[in-house]
Amino acid sequence: MTSGKGGTETSGSGDIARTMELLWDTGKRPSRGPKPALTLDQIVEAAVRVADGEGLEAVSMRRVAAELGTGTMSLYRYVPGKGELLDLMLDRVQRPSENPADLGDGSWRSALEALGRATLGLYRRHPWLLQVNQSRPLLGPSALDGMEKILARLKPMGLSDPETVSAIIMIDGYVVGAARTQLYQQEAERRTGLTDAEFWQAQTPILEKVLTSGRYPLLSSLAEDTWGPDFDHFEFGLQRILDGLEVFVARRREE
């Protein structure tokens, strides 16, 4: 897989035409010969398992073959290489829910709210997604199915098409930032061996002296629970974005 700026890997780094054929199952099927021992689905699912368990850097044709108990060369009968495999993995994990209730109660706000929470859950289940530069995604069935479902819920907003798509991009950008922060926190704890509590406790002796010196009156006056774990910063930010969109939608309807 090819490294790219902004991420460890880059979507669309393989043969784009061949990957699109695999995503949409439009390639020619052999009419003769023995029945294939594997399916493309099995290979993609195995690659996702490896990435989930060992990280994206562990994914290779050899490692996926080992996961399936087969020879490396046999995988090339189904997928040209690692670049194409990555795009198939991306499409697989982003498959939308078939349950309409998972997109809220029918309102556009509840749909975006559900989208934000579901996307955060996606990154928590598959943290390797944050290592992929998806600025130029290959549009497979999962991507288009998901977009179709959310657009159907957002039409009542009454916005222009670019504005509607921008609302989705806004939520996604916010979630990616929050997910990356959470992942970095987990990675910091793993690498240092210090929990969050231990990390901040180590700074307390100096900080107590600094904050009582009078140099930082506003910081020293903050409530004790300001930095506590009970406040849900993600939910607070998500709701404020939606509040802002509600104001914009109401203003647009008055025009």
Side-chain angles (χ1 to χ4, degrees):
M1 298 179 188
T2 304
S3 295
K5 186 177 180 180
T8 303
E9 314 291 351
T10 301
S11 63
S13 61
D15 182 329
I16 295 175
R18 180 60 181 139
T19 303
M20 291 298 286
E21 287 181 347
L22 292 170
L23 284 169
W24 290 98
D25 194 21
T26 60
K28 294 181 179 179
R29 297 173 181 270
S31 57
R32 297 180 179 181
K35 182 180 180 180
L38 295 171
T39 66
L40 184 60
D41 282 348
Q42 289 174 325
I43 295 170
V44 175
E45 288 170 2
V48 170
R49 286 197 303 273
V50 172
D52 288 347
E54 304 172 31
L56 189 58
E57 63 278 2
V59 177
S60 67
M61 298 296 273
R62 177 178 295 181
R63 178 65 186 85
V64 174
E67 179 75 10
L68 291 166
T70 189
T72 304
M73 295 307 297
S74 65
L75 265 59
Y76 289 100
R77 294 181 57 196
Y78 304 86
V79 60
K82 295 179 289 186
E84 294 82 3
L85 180 58
L86 174 62
D87 286 308
L88 296 173
M89 293 166 62
L90 293 172
D91 190 71
R92 175 55 53 89
V93 300
Q94 298 182 69
R95 184 176 293 170
S97 169
E98 295 296 326
N99 185 358
D102 288 341
L103 269 183
D105 60 13
S107 69
W108 67 261
R109 176 166 181 144
S110 68
L112 286 176
E113 187 175 24
L115 177 66
R117 292 171 182 163
T119 305
L120 182 63
L122 176 69
Y123 284 114
R124 284 174 171 170
R125 293 191 302 275
H126 309 290
W128 53 269
L129 285 170
L130 293 169
Q131 295 177 261
V132 183
N133 176 352
Q134 297 186 62
S135 59
R136 298 195 303 181
L138 266 65
L139 300 179
S142 294
L144 295 191
D145 286 351
M147 184 64 76
E148 184 73 14
K149 290 175 185 295
I150 190 67
L151 284 176
R153 296 296 185 93
L154 301 188
K155 276 297 182 182
M157 295 176 79
L159 304 180
S160 69
D161 291 345
E163 290 169 342
T164 303
V165 171
S166 188
I168 299 172
I169 293 173
M170 187 188 312
I171 296 296
D172 185 69
Y174 171 70
V175 174
V176 168
R180 182 171 286 112
T181 297
Q182 293 181 8
L183 179 65
Y184 285 173
Q185 289 172 339
Q186 295 168 2
E187 181 67 9
E189 182 170 329
R190 185 184 69 80
R191 285 178 177 260
T192 65
L194 293 175
T195 65
D196 257 7
E198 292 169 338
F199 174 77
W200 293 112
Q201 185 61 39
Q203 300 183 61
T204 297
I206 298 297
L207 290 180
E208 284 183 343
K209 293 179 180 180
V210 170
L211 291 176
T212 56
S213 67
R215 183 175 178 175
Y216 304 104
L218 294 179
L219 283 170
S220 62
S221 68
L222 293 176
E224 290 185 5
D225 63 350
T226 299
W227 312 106
D230 295 332
F231 189 86
D232 191 335
H233 294 280
F234 173 80
E235 193 65 29
F236 179 82
L238 179 61
Q239 295 304 325
R240 300 299 74 77
I241 291 173
L242 297 175
D243 287 346
L245 282 172
E246 279 201 335
V247 172
F248 182 72
V249 169
R251 183 185 305 157
R252 177 56 54 82
R253 289 173 179 170
E254 294 173 356
E255 294 177 353

